[in-house]
Each structure stands twice: as structure tokens, then as C-alpha cells.
Amino acid sequence: MNDNRKANVKIYKTFEDDFTESKNQSAVLPENFVWVHENIFYRMASAVTFALAWVFGIVYSKLVLRVKVKNRKVLKKYRKEGYFLYGNHTQAMGDAFIPTCVLGFKRFHTVAGSANLGIPVIGRLLPMIAAIITPESIHDSVKFCEAVKTRIDEGRCVIIYPEAHVWEWYTKIRPFPATAFYFPVKYNAPSFSMTLVYSKKKRAREGSKPRITVYIDGPFFPDKELSVRERREKLYDEIYEAMVKRSSLSDCEYIHYRKEGEAL
């Protein structure tokens, strides 16, 4: 694999290390936070802001990142159904907008941590645009789960980045827990994987950063003949393996991640 290790190296201790932080990383959910708004004016404002973000996302993904999508046809049958989409978390800004060119006009929501609320300017708008913010207490977990179910019942896509932390331009799949598949098992919904693969640019004028190709795989369904725990584990195995297989197509490194103490 081609790389540029001298210029772009990041050292990590564990896969839980976070290399991307907002200016207000300690942002927390405000009191009486509402996950699903019923107010008609809020819903109208949400639709408008999502539309504006969608247009920006298409422009950014297609013209700036030059994203290409492969095997999108597997989603066609489920365009009116709710489903989950699991992706590798390797673009700080792109992961919020790349789904626009994957899902077309289908509305989507991304599960995100409360630290995202601390992003300057747009942080507080994220729940209105597309974010489903994870709860900070067991009490709020019920409302959070209800919000996810509501979006699935509405026929929308819920995006989950199970690796949790952004490692920009990382070319492999980091370990993540089988509990990440709690929702598709609980709501018996289909799931797909969305794997970003990085390749060498063919022409120098394309810039120094790798080309991005997104591969979609699925659908994957919970196996009703298994126990709840076994269903989650089977979904984990299927989706993790699909993502690992696709990620192996990467042929270059823009940033090399080296474990602390690892020999050069």
C-alpha cells in the first residue's frame, strides 16, 4: 500500500483514541431536550434546513470530495422502508454529507454524540437537520430509543458509525461492539453497510488526497431463529466482514496510524 508516513503519521494507544474534537468538546444535552418534535413549525423548519444541508452535501461530496458510489442498486427496493446504514467513521465533515449522494432524496438521520452540539455555528442546529443525539442518562434512553423507532417507522434511514471516533482517511475497519446492532434487532429492520475505500488519484491535478469510493452491501436481516444476543452477534459478523472485505480494496494511505510502541 502506498503511503506518506513521514508527513502524515498519527500515534494511537487504543482504538478508542479520539483525534477529532470540536471547540466545545464538553457540550452536553440541554435540560428538557426533545428528540422528536411534534410542533408543525419546527417540523417545517427542519424540512427546510435539511433540504439546504442536502444541497450542500451533494455539492461537497461530488465536487470537493469527488465521491463515487458502488452497488447503490441494493437500496432501491427499500426506498420507501426504514433501515439502518452502518459506516466506517473516516471523514470528520464528509461522514455527515456523503450519505446525500448514497441515499438520493431519502431523508436520513445520523446517531451522534452530544459533543457535536459544541461545533461552532451549526452544532445546535444538528438535531433539526439530521442528528439523533445519544442520551447521557438511562432516563433519557427511552426517549432516544423511541426517536430511532419513529424515524424507522417513517420510512427513513438511520445512520450509525459504530467505530464512534473519527479517524480521518483510515483504511481499515476498527473493532466495534455487537451492541451496535441493538436497534435493527429490536425493531426487526434491514441493515446495510457503507464502506469508504481510498484509492490513488490517477492524475496529479486531482490533488494529493485519495479518491473516495463508497461501497454499499446488504441487506442484512436479524435471524429470528436465534436469541436476541445471537442475532446481534450474527449481524455484527456479517456487516463487519462485509466492511473489512471492501476496505481491503484501499491501495494508499493519506494518514498512517501507528500504535504507540510499534516498530517503524
Side-chain angles (χ1 to χ4, degrees):
M1 181 179 287
N2 181 43
D3 55 47
N4 187 9
R5 299 187 181 189
K6 291 184 179 180
N8 300 287
V9 177
K10 290 188 177 183
I11 309 298
Y12 69 93
K13 294 181 179 179
T14 73
F15 287 115
E16 296 301 314
D17 289 358
D18 195 350
F19 294 98
T20 303
E21 296 185 350
S22 67
K23 290 186 177 180
N24 185 13
Q25 188 71 12
S26 60
V28 297
L29 290 176
E31 292 185 14
N32 301 317
F33 181 80
V34 178
W35 275 267
V36 179
H37 288 263
E38 300 296 337
N39 182 283
I40 184 63
F41 296 106
Y42 184 97
R43 294 170 70 89
M44 289 172 62
S46 176
V48 171
T49 53
F50 179 84
L52 293 174
W54 184 89
V55 172
F56 175 83
I58 288 291
V59 173
Y60 179 72
S61 299
K62 292 289 187 180
L63 300 185
V64 178
L65 296 179
R66 297 182 180 275
V67 171
K68 292 186 177 180
V69 182
K70 299 287 188 180
N71 203 35
R72 183 166 44 193
K73 62 184 179 181
V74 298
L75 298 173
K76 187 175 181 180
K77 181 180 177 181
Y78 300 90
R79 63 184 182 276
K80 295 183 179 180
E81 296 182 31
Y83 56 76
F84 293 90
L85 187 62
Y86 288 84
N88 50 330
H89 212 0
T90 58
Q91 289 290 314
M93 183 172 174
D95 285 345
F97 296 108
I98 287 175
T100 58
C101 58
V102 172
L103 300 170
F105 293 109
K106 188 180 185 72
R107 186 154 185 185
F108 63 87
H109 300 266
T110 304
V111 173
S114 59
N116 289 279
L117 298 176
I119 298 174
V121 185
I122 68 167
R124 294 292 173 176
L125 291 176
L126 291 179
M128 177 179 285
I129 298 172
I132 303 178
I133 305 298
T134 53
E136 296 168 351
S137 68
I138 296 177
H139 173 73
D140 287 333
S141 294
V142 174
K143 296 177 182 178
F144 170 70
C145 292
E146 289 175 349
V148 173
K149 184 178 187 302
T150 295
R151 301 315 181 193
I152 291 298
D153 290 345
E154 290 174 339
R156 300 180 182 184
C157 172
V158 173
I159 299 171
I160 297 175
Y161 292 103
E163 295 168 325
H165 303 296
V166 179
W167 283 23
E168 290 193 291
W169 306 99
Y170 190 59
T171 58
K172 298 178 182 179
I173 306 300
R174 286 165 280 153
F176 52 83
T179 52
F181 300 92
Y182 169 85
F183 288 117
V185 168
K186 182 175 178 62
Y187 303 132
N188 194 36
S191 298
F192 296 84
S193 62
M194 172 181 66
T195 312
L196 272 64
V197 170
Y198 298 107
S199 307
K200 302 173 187 176
K201 291 287 180 66
K202 293 182 178 180
R203 294 175 291 274
R205 63 182 177 84
E206 292 183 84
S208 61
K209 294 180 179 179
R211 298 166 61 195
I212 301 176
T213 303
V214 181
Y215 287 88
I216 308 299
D217 288 291
F220 303 96
F221 294 94
D223 189 337
K224 294 182 179 181
E225 295 185 0
L226 302 176
S227 68
V228 170
R229 180 178 179 180
E230 290 171 332
R231 291 179 209 175
R232 290 199 300 261
E233 291 176 347
K234 184 178 180 182
L235 270 180
Y236 165 84
D237 290 338
E238 292 173 339
I239 291 181
Y240 185 80
E241 288 174 9
M243 295 173 74
V244 168
K245 182 178 179 180
R246 292 298 192 184
S247 68
S248 68
L249 299 175
S250 293
D251 62 12
C252 66
E253 283 184 321
Y254 182 70
I255 296 176
H256 175 66
Y257 290 83
R258 180 164 60 85
K259 189 169 184 179
E260 187 176 62
E262 182 180 74
L264 295 174

